[in-house]
Amino acid sequence: MTAPTDTTGKGPSDYRKLEESVTLSPVANPSGLGQSEELLTINMGPHHPATHGVLRLLVTLDGEIVRDLRPLIGYLHTGIEKTCEDKPYWKVVPLVERMDYLAYYFNAMAYVHSVEELVGIEVPKRAQYLRVIHMELNRIMSHLFWFGTSCLDIGAMSLLWYSLRERETILDLFESASGQRVHTRYFQIGGVIEDIPGGGWVDRCRAFVKELPTRVAQFRDLIYANEIALQRLKGVGIVDSQRLLDLGVTGPLLRASGVEWDLRKAQPYSSYDDFEFGVPLGAVGDNFDRMAVRLAEMEESAKIIEQALDGLPEGPVIVDDRKVALPPRHELATSMEALIHHFKLVTEGFRVAPGERYSAIEGPRGELGCFVKADGSSKPARVHIRDSSFVNLQAIADMCRGGYIADLIATLAMLDPILGGIDR
Amino acid sequence: MPDPTGLELLAGGLRARLGDDAVVGTAHSNDYGSIEIQPQHISAALALLRDEGYRFLSSVHGADEYPHEPRLAVHYELLDMNRPDRVAIKLRVPVDAPHVESVAPSWPTADHQEREIYDLFGVVFDGHPDLRRILMPEDYEGHPQRRDFPLGGEPVLFTHHEAEGLHYAE
C-alpha cells in the first residue's frame, strides 16, 4: 500500500510522524510472507453476511494469505428438480422460477424455451419481444442487486441504497405487468400470460431506460474513485481465459477476461437477432473488469429494451394452440369447447411425445441451460437446470488462491453466486 | 446443432476410432442431436470430439430412464464456440453396476456436476478426485432423483421428533 500523497502542502502530520517512528520488533517468520509451517483451516459461513446466501467456505489460511479454498454447498437444497417431475408441464414454471431468485424471468425462459423446442411451438412475435423486454429488465435488476450488495461487501454502503432505488422502479414495472414483484409467472409455454398494461407502462419503462445510463455513470463516479474499493478490485482474482473455459465459466466472468461469448449473439433465441447491442469485454479479467463489464451490460440492456419498445409488433401474446395454452377467460362463459380445453389443461395438462433436449439462454450470470426429458405423459420425466452460478462457483478457488482473505470477500462478491440457484 | 448428416458423420468418426459397437445410436429432433455411446468409451469419445472443435463442456447431468434398462443415463452437452454448434453425448448404465469413468481430470467443469449426479442418482464416477455428496447431507441414504424414490414422506428432523427416536435414516 502506498502512502497517501500529501495534498495540504504542510508536510507530514504529527500523527503520521508518530506512526512512522514506530519500529516493529523483527519477526522471524512474518505471517503472510511465504509458506509457513502452520496453516490454519477455518470455516466461513454458512451464515456469513458476505457470502450472499448460505455458502460455506473451508479456507486454509497462511496468515492473511488464502492457500486453499473449498466451497461446500447444499444448505439451500429443496429438491425443486424432483418436485418438477410431479407437476404437469405448464405448472412447472413457478417452481423453476424459484431456483435463482434474482433471475426468475430467465429461469422461466430457459424452461419454457426448452419445452417449446421439444414440442415444436412457434411463439408469436409480440410475445418474443415482450419476453426480451422483461428479461432485459430482469438482467438490469439482477445486476443492480449484485452491484449494491457487492459494494456493501467492499465498504461502499451508500451504493446499496442508490442501486436498490433503481431496482424498485423495475419491480414496480413487473408488478404492473404481472401482478407480482418477484417470481412473476409471466412467461408461459407458448408466450406470455398477458399483454403489458396500458396506462403508461410503456412510458414508465421508457423513462427508466432513458435515465439508466445517467445512473450507471453516477455509480461509476462513486466507485471508480474509491481508493478502498479499487484496492480490492484492481489486479485481484485474475484467472486466465483458458482456465475459465476449462472450468465451464460463462457470462460476465468469462467476458471480463476478454472472451467474446454471449448466447444472445452466438445462438440467438427469442428474436435477439433483431436488436443491435454490444457485448462489453474486459481486458485483464480482474475484479475490476468483472464490475465494469456488468455495469456496461446494464447500458446495453437498456438499449435492447428501447429498441424492443420501438419495434413492438402487434398481435397475440400467446400461441393460439388450445392444447398447450389456456383459452382466454371471456371464452369460458360462451364456448363449451374452450371450457373443455381449460378443464383438460388444468386437471391433466398437455402430453408431450417422448424425447429430450437441452437448450440454453444467456442469463445474468452466464449460460442458463435447461434439460427436459419427456416420457409421453403430461409430466416431465426430468427437468434439470444447468445453473450458471453452480458451475461458476468452481472457479472461486482459482480466483482466491494466493490472495488476501480481504480479497476473497471482494472476489466472491464479483463472482455473483446466487445460492438459490446453486442448491436448487 | 448439427444437422442429421453432420451428426451421423460425427457418430461415424467415433465408430471408426473406437470400434463399431462403441456407438449405440443417434437421435436427432428439432435441431437437437445426441449420440449414445457405450459407457466405457466416454473419455475417449469426449477427447475425440474435443479435437473436432467441441472444446467446451457446457453441462453434465443425469436422468433416470425408468422403466427402460439400463436405467441411469448421463448426458454430456458439448459446445463448439467457433461455429457455434452443440452436440450431446449420452451413456446409460444399469442400477446394479452404475460405474462410469470420470471425465473431471480432463474437463475440470465436470467436477461438481459429476458429484451432483453421484449424489442424486447414485452413478459412481471412477477416478473422480473427490466423489462425495454435494447437495444432500453427507449421512443421507438413497438417491432422491431416481424415479423409484418417492416424493415426500421425508421425516423432518425437529427436536420433538428426536424424542420419538426418529432419525433421518429411518
Side-chain angles (χ1 to χ4, degrees):
Chain A
M1 193 186 288
T2 52
T5 44
D6 179 27
T7 49
T8 56
K10 283 187 284 186
S13 65
D14 291 345
Y15 175 74
R16 187 66 68 199
K17 278 182 205 156
L18 183 76
E19 200 181 54
E20 279 166 5
S21 72
V22 176
T23 50
L24 297 168
S25 58
V27 182
N29 198 0
S31 71
L33 299 172
Q35 185 96 38
S36 74
E37 285 121 56
E38 208 172 332
L39 292 177
L40 177 70
T41 302
I42 60 159
N43 247 325
M44 276 179 76
H47 297 289
H48 186 279
T51 50
H52 298 256
V54 275
L55 170 65
R56 180 173 156 211
L57 295 171
L58 261 186
V59 195
T60 307
L61 291 174
D62 175 6
E64 285 281 299
I65 311 264
V66 177
R67 289 291 174 210
D68 202 9
L69 175 66
R70 232 173 33 183
L72 299 174
I73 59 176
Y75 294 91
L76 216 55
H77 179 62
T78 42
I80 295 179
E81 286 177 1
K82 180 76 176 174
T83 318
C84 291
E85 292 171 13
D86 199 43
K87 299 276 177 216
Y89 282 91
W90 70 287
K91 291 185 186 173
V92 168
V93 179
L95 289 169
V96 293
E97 275 184 338
R98 278 154 179 79
M99 291 183 173
D100 181 343
Y101 43 75
L102 283 185
Y104 31 93
Y105 279 104
F106 292 96
N107 296 339
M109 181 67 191
Y111 171 73
V112 299
H113 182 56
S114 208
V115 175
E116 280 157 6
E117 296 209 317
L118 192 62
V119 185
I121 300 169
E122 188 66 38
V123 180
K125 198 79 175 163
R126 187 176 175 86
Q128 295 188 13
Y129 271 56
L130 288 177
R131 282 179 177 182
V132 167
I133 293 170
H134 282 90
M135 278 193 288
E136 292 309 318
L137 281 173
N138 193 165
R139 190 185 310 275
I140 297 173
M141 188 279 265
S142 172
H143 282 355
L144 281 170
F145 201 83
W146 154 81
F147 183 69
T149 50
S150 303
C151 288
L152 194 62
D153 286 352
I154 50 179
M157 194 178 192
S158 48
L159 280 161
L160 177 73
W161 312 119
Y162 294 131
S163 65
L164 288 194
R165 180 186 63 192
E166 306 310 317
R167 176 177 179 261
E168 207 61 15
T169 319
I170 298 178
L171 291 185
D172 287 344
L173 286 170
F174 287 169
E175 192 179 9
S176 318
S178 66
Q180 301 286 332
R181 295 162 72 78
V182 291
H183 309 314
T184 53
R185 208 201 197 289
Y186 187 66
F187 293 178
Q188 304 291 311
I189 293 166
V192 299
I193 188 77
E194 262 186 331
D195 209 340
I196 45 173
W201 195 93
V202 173
D203 295 335
R204 274 158 60 205
C205 190
R206 271 186 204 282
F208 173 76
V209 294
K210 193 158 176 285
E211 190 175 87
L212 189 77
T214 327
R215 298 298 185 200
V216 174
Q218 290 172 350
F219 294 158
R220 286 203 185 99
D221 287 346
L222 278 166
I223 202 83
Y224 284 11
N226 183 331
E227 180 67 27
I228 300 169
L230 291 182
Q231 291 254 347
R232 300 279 156 247
L233 298 176
K234 282 271 188 187
V236 174
I238 302 176
V239 178
D240 67 281
S241 56
Q242 189 51 50
R243 178 68 183 157
L244 288 178
L245 286 169
D246 287 346
L247 285 164
V249 174
T250 44
L253 293 172
L254 183 63
R255 290 193 284 274
S257 71
V259 180
E260 191 177 348
W261 179 252
D262 188 324
L263 285 170
R264 293 175 292 174
K265 290 272 190 199
Q267 297 184 313
Y269 51 91
S270 197
S271 297
Y272 266 112
D273 38 355
D274 290 2
F275 310 116
E276 277 180 29
F277 59 100
V279 178
L281 295 180
V284 250
D286 57 356
N287 280 344
F288 184 80
D289 278 350
R290 290 170 192 145
M291 173 173 273
V293 162
R294 288 199 182 92
L295 286 174
E297 268 182 22
M298 285 198 242
E299 294 170 324
E300 296 302 325
S301 293
K303 282 183 203 162
I304 299 175
I305 297 168
E306 203 152 17
Q307 292 170 51
L309 287 171
D310 287 339
L312 191 62
E314 291 299 321
V317 295
I318 194 157
V319 70
D320 197 27
D321 185 351
R322 295 289 153 78
K323 300 287 182 221
V324 296
L326 287 172
R329 185 89 191 113
H330 64 87
E331 276 186 26
L332 295 185
T334 53
S335 158
M336 182 55 122
E337 209 184 351
L339 197 64
I340 293 169
H341 277 134
H342 186 275
F343 180 75
K344 282 294 281 180
L345 260 180
V346 172
T347 51
E348 191 196 349
F350 57 87
R351 293 184 184 183
V352 177
E356 52 196 23
R357 89 169 287 134
Y358 173 87
S359 55
I361 62 166
E362 184 73 26
R365 278 160 277 282
E367 174 169 330
L368 189 62
C370 183
F371 173 80
V372 178
K373 179 177 168 56
D375 59 358
S377 73
S378 65
K379 294 170 184 174
R382 170 87 168 120
V383 176
H384 172 75
I385 294 267
R386 182 259 193 217
D387 191 82
S388 16
S389 305
F390 178 75
V391 182
N392 290 353
L393 187 68
Q394 297 186 77
I396 188 71
D398 280 66
M399 288 173 179
C400 293
R401 231 175 257 141
Y404 287 110
I405 192 161
D407 291 339
L408 187 158
I409 302 297
T411 309
L412 185 67
M414 293 302 137
L415 187 87
D416 192 17
I418 299 294
L419 270 294
I422 291 174
D423 291 345
R424 281 157 288 149
Chain B
M1 298 297 163
D3 53 12
T5 326
L7 189 71
E8 288 308 323
L9 284 173
L10 278 177
L14 291 181
R15 277 198 190 96
R17 304 288 294 277
L18 304 172
D20 275 342
D21 54 347
V23 177
V24 179
T26 57
H28 191 278
S29 73
N30 205 358
D31 281 346
Y32 179 74
S34 66
I35 304 172
E36 186 174 342
I37 61 166
Q38 292 287 354
Q40 66 269 26
H41 295 297
I42 183 61
S43 291
L46 291 190
L48 286 173
L49 286 166
R50 180 181 261 176
D51 296 338
E52 294 279 326
Y54 296 94
R55 291 201 185 86
F56 189 81
L57 182 61
S58 54
S59 179
V60 185
H61 45 85
D64 185 352
E65 308 235 330
Y66 179 82
H68 305 288
E69 291 288 342
R71 260 175 64 187
L72 303 175
V74 184
H75 299 249
Y76 302 80
E77 309 286 345
L78 288 166
L79 170 67
D80 178 348
M81 284 183 164
N82 293 326
R83 272 185 274 181
D85 195 15
R86 283 178 196 276
V87 68
I89 299 293
K90 175 184 173 184
L91 57 84
R92 284 162 70 185
V93 286
V95 173
D96 43 359
H99 287 273
V100 183
E101 193 188 341
S102 170
V103 298
S106 42
W107 304 81
T109 180
D111 185 336
H112 279 190
Q113 306 189 55
E114 284 183 349
R115 278 179 67 189
E116 183 186 330
I117 301 169
Y118 164 72
D119 188 356
L120 300 180
F121 289 96
V123 178
V124 179
F125 290 92
D126 300 318
H128 189 283
D130 181 27
L131 196 65
R132 286 178 298 123
R133 286 189 181 272
I134 186 165
L135 294 178
M136 302 303 289
E138 282 164 35
D139 56 350
Y140 193 82
E141 287 180 17
H143 302 285
Q145 202 79 47
R146 285 190 181 171
R147 295 287 274 168
D148 52 5
F149 193 95
L151 186 71
E154 180 88 352
V156 183
L157 202 62
F158 290 127
T159 38
H160 68 273
H161 285 146
E162 244 171 0
E164 296 162 17
L166 194 64
H167 297 290
Y168 267 125
E170 285 159 21

